Every structure is written in C-alpha cells, then in structure tokens.
Amino acid sequence: MNAIEINSLSKEFGKIKAVENISLEVKEGEIFGFLGPNGAGKSTTMMILTTLLKPTSGKALVAGYDVVSQAKQVRQNIGYVQQEISVDEYLTGRENLILQARLNHIPKNLVKKRIDEILELIELTDKQNEPVITYSGGMRKRLDLAGGLLHQPKVLFLDEPTVGLDIQTRRKIWEYLKKIHEKFGMSIFLSTHYMEEADNLCDRIGIIDYGQIQAIDSPQTMKNALGNEVITFTISNNGEKKSNLISKIKEIEYVKDITTNGEGITVFSSKGTEVIPIIFQLSSSFGIKINSISLTQPTLDDVFISYTGRELRDETENFNKRIEHAKMKRLRA
C-alpha cells in the first residue's frame, strides 16, 4: 500500500484552477519532496491531503483512507508541521509536548515515555523545563517537529520546515529529519523551495507549476536527464540575433536543453567541453560578443528552472498568469 495516492485531483477557486488534474503516489517509508514556484499549487495540495480543504474533483488517499469520506481516520494517522512555528512560547518545552499529547489523545501511561524519547531525539532534554520564549528559532522548530511526532503518525507532512532559518540551523534540522525518518520509518511529504534541502533529503521529488505536475523522479535521475554538464554564458541582448543563436545551439549534437533568463543563457549538455567552442564559433558568426561563460555540473536548481522556465517567481505574478490562462481557455471554448 502506498502512503499517499492522488488520482486526477483538482481544486478550483472560482474560475482559477489552483490544482489541475494531478496524480502521484508516495511510497511507504520514503521522503517525497514537493517543489514549485510560489502559487504553483503546493500548499493547496497539502491542505487537501491534510483534510483542511476539500477537492473540487478527483480522489486522494492518505495512509489508505479517503481524505473526504474518511477525514477523521486520515487525521489520526498523520502529523502536520506547518510553516509558521505553532508552539506556545510561554509554556516550557515539556509543557508544550504534554499539551500536544492531550490534543492527540495519547494514552496517559505512554505520554511520559514518548515525550522523553522525542526530547532526547531532538536534543532538547536539557532545555525541556525552560520557557520556549528563551529558545532559539532552530530549537523552536525542533520542538514543533516533536509535537507532530508524538502520536507516531504513519505520514508526516512538513510545509516549508526550515523557512526563515539560517543555513547552519537549516542543515541541523535536516540531520534531525533524517534521524526521525530512520527511527520511525514513516513516510514524509515535504514542501520546500530550497533546492538544496530537497536534494539532501528526498528520495523522489515532484515539481508542480501552474497547478500541474511537471515531473516526478529522484533528484539524481532528474539531474542526469539534463545532461552531465551545464554551460552558462551571458551576452548583450541582440534581439533577433540572440534568437537565431539559440536556435543554432539547440541543433548541436550534445545539447539536451537550453533556457534563457535576461542576458543569461543556460545550456545542458552531455559534452560541455566540446560544445563550448561551437558556441563561440556560432556567436562570432552572428556578431555577438560573449561577456562571460562557465561550465558546471547540473544542480536541482537547474532542473527546477528547466521545468518551470525561471527561478521562483512572485505569487501575484503567478496568480495573474492563472487568470490570463483561464481567459484564454474561455476564448478558445
């Protein structure tokens, strides 16, 4: 049985399709990353899976239960740690966990043992009797994670778990997540916009854009599909000459994909050292000067840009494009 099964799921808000006919599966015991630009449909999907929203159409099962008709059973089998830290800063760490234990109806004879185990796992035993207001941001996030684990859920949902934390704290949270996953063997559904986070933690990732799934695979397979090397170069914007140059680069034997961003051009190639001289020859023939050029290995950022066309964009921009997309559909109908 899969931990999560989504079949032809859609969610509409008026004329805007926030999620449009998506299907995916999350295997038992895997960490699945859900990536997408702001406003792409990540949060809407997660809210449906955690029973906070009802879908317009389609079906979703979590831990074997239907998110609409068996919402209570779904909630009993999931943990949900939202983006905003939800601990009470005027209670101690242990008091926060006792409150969570009561809210999740954990039997009284198990509460102390579970809290002790969780506090040790996230290394907060020494701070458990201090008020949370004295905790650092990283400590609060670890306590928040602990609250979502107390009832030992089958599926743990994490919505942007390290947003707002510095890189050192973020990496420490990754270590705790790996320890949690190893200890409990639970399935984790992770929403993030940190590419390094997804690459570091996830067995597989799904990329969503404009409410539709663009790709699902392991991070390494996605990077390999782009090509072994990434050529990035900048030129002065030469209008039609630039378009002609890009068209010619696409015809090069070892070029797998190409994206543009302003004056920057990114080429994904299986043999970068052979492609670079050809790029210089082509640019020279068009009278285009290359200002800078580099050769690197592909990252998950490159994969993301390849599927979404650009880096993370503003949510308002995405919403406006959804409106235009809906208008065009009505005009064609």
Side-chain angles (χ1 to χ4, degrees):
M1 182 181 72
N2 290 314
I4 299 172
E5 293 184 15
I6 300 175
N7 294 298
S8 303
L9 193 71
S10 294
K11 179 61 181 179
E12 298 177 10
F13 297 98
K15 296 175 181 177
I16 302 302
K17 291 186 177 181
V19 175
E20 187 171 355
N21 196 37
I22 68 170
S23 298
L24 63 86
E25 295 177 348
V26 176
K27 302 170 186 175
E28 283 191 340
E30 84 170 328
I31 301 179
F32 186 88
F34 205 42
L35 313 183
N38 294 328
K42 299 191 306 297
S43 295
T44 300
T45 302
M46 187 171 286
M47 290 178 73
I48 291 172
L49 295 177
T50 55
T51 75
L52 298 174
L53 270 180
K54 289 185 178 181
T56 303
S57 62
K59 189 172 185 178
L61 301 178
V62 176
Y65 297 103
D66 187 281
V67 297
V68 176
S69 62
Q70 298 172 301
K72 182 179 179 181
Q73 290 93 323
V74 170
R75 289 192 288 269
Q76 290 172 342
N77 284 277
I78 67 172
Y80 176 43
V81 180
Q82 59 189 353
Q83 182 175 330
E84 295 79 14
I85 296 175
S86 59
V87 295
D88 189 321
E89 62 182 13
Y90 296 106
L91 297 178
T92 66
R94 175 169 282 273
E95 287 170 343
N96 267 282
L97 294 180
I98 290 172
L99 177 60
Q100 284 296 322
R102 290 174 179 171
L103 291 173
N104 286 287
H105 308 290
I106 297 174
K108 289 184 179 180
N109 62 315
L110 297 178
V111 171
K112 183 180 183 303
K113 181 174 182 292
R114 288 202 185 173
I115 290 178
D116 289 343
E117 288 178 348
I118 290 292
L119 285 170
E120 183 177 356
L121 182 68
I122 62 170
E123 300 180 18
L124 281 180
T125 301
D126 293 344
K127 300 286 186 178
Q128 62 177 303
N129 294 316
E130 296 181 17
V132 173
I133 197 169
T134 65
Y135 286 18
S136 66
M139 291 167 64
R140 294 184 188 201
K141 176 54 71 173
R142 280 149 54 192
L143 185 64
D144 215 17
L145 285 170
L149 294 168
L150 272 181
H151 61 299
Q152 297 180 355
K154 291 182 179 179
V155 185
L156 178 63
F157 289 92
L158 302 175
D159 186 9
E160 303 280 0
T162 63
V163 70
L165 301 178
D166 61 75
I167 184 60
Q168 292 89 349
T169 305
R170 204 154 64 228
R171 289 179 181 273
K172 196 66 178 175
I173 295 295
W174 298 348
E175 291 178 19
Y176 289 117
L177 288 174
K178 288 178 180 177
K179 285 170 61 177
I180 288 166
H181 183 250
E182 182 179 348
K183 179 175 177 60
F184 296 104
M186 65 181 63
S187 306
I188 298 178
F189 189 93
L190 168 75
S191 164
T192 182
H193 67 263
Y194 294 122
M195 298 300 110
E196 187 183 5
E197 182 163 276
D199 207 358
N200 190 284
L201 289 174
C202 300
D203 300 304
R204 290 189 305 139
I205 60 173
I207 295 177
I208 185 171
D209 197 19
Y210 294 114
Q212 298 178 324
I213 298 293
Q214 305 298 320
I216 298 177
D217 216 324
S218 69
Q220 191 59 52
T221 300
M222 286 186 171
K223 287 184 287 187
N224 291 342
L226 283 181
N228 298 325
E229 296 168 319
V230 180
I231 303 163
T232 304
F233 64 98
T234 60
I235 61 174
S236 300
N237 198 331
N238 288 282
E240 186 177 348
K241 286 184 178 181
K242 178 181 177 181
S243 299
N244 292 335
L245 174 63
I246 291 170
S247 296
K248 285 295 182 182
I249 293 174
K250 288 179 178 178
E251 296 174 4
I252 300 173
E253 180 181 358
Y254 302 115
V255 169
K256 292 190 173 184
D257 196 10
I258 184 168
T259 62
T260 61
N261 183 12
E263 296 181 352
I265 299 174
T266 302
V267 178
F268 303 98
S269 168
S270 57
K271 293 186 178 181
T273 53
E274 294 188 25
V275 170
I276 286 177
I278 302 174
I279 290 176
F280 273 107
Q281 291 172 7
L282 290 171
S283 62
S284 177
S285 68
F286 285 111
I288 296 175
K289 180 184 177 182
I290 293 178
N291 299 320
S292 64
I293 191 165
S294 64
L295 179 64
T296 59
Q297 296 297 312
T299 66
L300 205 54
D301 290 272
D302 298 316
V303 173
F304 187 91
I305 294 169
S306 176
Y307 281 106
T308 64
R310 67 182 79 182
E311 297 182 12
L312 291 174
R313 57 178 167 264
D314 181 76
E315 189 167 356
T316 303
E317 176 189 351
N318 200 14
F319 181 78
N320 290 335
K321 287 198 173 184
R322 291 278 187 90
I323 293 175
E324 291 302 317
H325 184 59
K327 286 179 179 177
M328 291 302 295
K329 277 191 170 183
R330 291 202 306 274
L331 288 172
R332 289 194 296 265

